[in-house]
Amino acid sequence: MPSSAIARRAGVGAATLYRHFPTRGSLIAAAFSEQLAQCVAALDEALQDDDPWHGFCSVQGR
């Protein structure tokens, strides 16, 4: 999807979009940062489990 279409759907101008997110990568990183943080937290928690199988299953169940 073109950046201009993303800006339009967000209700902002293209210049505003580029001012906050100068690259497509920075926009994607911002859009998924909360989900990525949740995944990292789940994996960190699983790695703390002394039983590798239990840790693996705890990630699978989320």
Side-chain angles (χ1 to χ4, degrees):
M1 175 181 290
S3 296
S4 59
I6 294 169
R8 192 171 34 257
R9 287 188 71 177
V12 299
T16 300
L17 180 71
Y18 286 116
R19 187 170 32 256
H20 291 282
F21 308 104
T23 66
R24 186 172 283 273
S26 64
L27 174 61
I28 292 169
F32 292 101
S33 65
E34 185 176 330
Q35 288 177 326
L36 181 59
Q38 290 173 359
C39 289
V40 168
L43 292 171
D44 284 343
E45 184 179 323
L47 288 169
Q48 298 302 315
D49 198 314
D50 290 334
D51 180 357
W53 181 249
H54 185 263
F56 174 77
C57 291
S58 71
V59 173
Q60 292 292 317
R62 290 183 183 217

